[in-house]
Amino acid sequence: MSRAGLSFRAATGSPRSGPVTRPGWAPHEEDRTVGRTRDTGATAMYLRCYPYDTWRMACHHEALLGQAVRLGLGRPHLYLDNGFRSHAPLPALEHLLRLTADGGYRTVLVPGPFVFSLDDTEARGLARRFTAAGCEVLELPSARGVSWRTVR
C-alpha cells in the first residue's frame, strides 16, 4: 500500500469522486515514464464539475498533464469530484486536503480557483488550506497566454 493508503474510491465505494487514474494505473503511484526534473515532491491535480461530466473534464485533465510536464513536475495524481456542487460536501477535495496536510503532496494543479468554489472568498480560503500545509496551488495559464500563477 502506498503512503496515501487506499484510494478514495476503494475506501468509500463512490464511483463519482476520488483519485482517478487511467485504466491499468494504480492510484497514488507515480508514472515512472515521466520522471521529476526538479525536486518538487509529489504532485496532484483537482477537478470538479457540476453537472456530472461523462467525459470527466478531459480537456482540463490533458491541459493539467501538459502543464505538469512544462513545469518539470512528476506525473500528477488526479482527484475528481464529478457532479458535485461547490457548496456540497466534496469528498475528493477533503481527501486531497488530508493527504496534503500529512505531507503527501507539495504541488496541486487546478484549471482555476473555481474548482474549489464558485465563491471567490471560499475558493481562496481552500487554496490557503493547501498553502498552510506547505503545498503550492498552481493555476493553468489563461487563454491569453499569461504564465501560470499561484492561487492565493
Side-chain angles (χ1 to χ4, degrees):
M1 218 188 284
S2 69
R3 175 187 166 132
L6 290 175
S7 74
F8 184 82
R9 212 180 270 171
T12 64
S14 171
R16 294 178 5 139
S17 65
V20 177
T21 60
R22 291 191 172 156
W25 292 359
H28 307 298
E29 286 185 15
E30 185 172 329
D31 178 3
R32 306 263 187 243
T33 64
V34 182
R36 295 181 184 153
T37 58
R38 60 185 178 134
D39 184 23
T40 58
T43 303
M45 62 177 128
Y46 177 71
L47 294 171
R48 180 192 59 80
C49 184
Y50 181 83
Y52 186 83
D53 180 0
T54 57
W55 292 96
R56 296 183 181 251
M57 296 150 281
C59 64
H60 287 303
H61 182 235
E62 292 302 318
L64 291 172
L65 287 173
Q67 188 68 355
V69 169
R70 283 186 292 281
L71 295 173
L73 302 170
R75 184 173 199 70
H77 306 133
L78 174 60
Y79 289 81
L80 174 66
D81 281 320
N82 197 355
F84 289 83
R85 293 179 183 268
S86 62
H87 292 295
L90 301 171
L93 179 60
E94 289 301 321
H95 185 65
L96 178 56
L97 282 163
R98 280 192 304 277
L99 292 172
T100 301
D102 290 340
Y105 292 105
R106 291 190 41 205
T107 307
V108 173
L109 299 171
V110 296
F114 60 87
V115 296
F116 299 134
S117 176
L118 297 179
D119 177 83
D120 289 340
T121 303
E122 187 175 342
R124 283 192 302 275
L126 284 163
R128 280 193 295 274
R129 285 180 64 188
F130 281 105
T131 57
C135 182
E136 188 173 28
V137 179
L138 301 177
E139 179 181 343
L140 278 175
S142 71
R144 289 179 240 110
V146 176
S147 64
W148 63 271
R149 62 186 172 147
T150 301
V151 177
R152 298 188 195 278

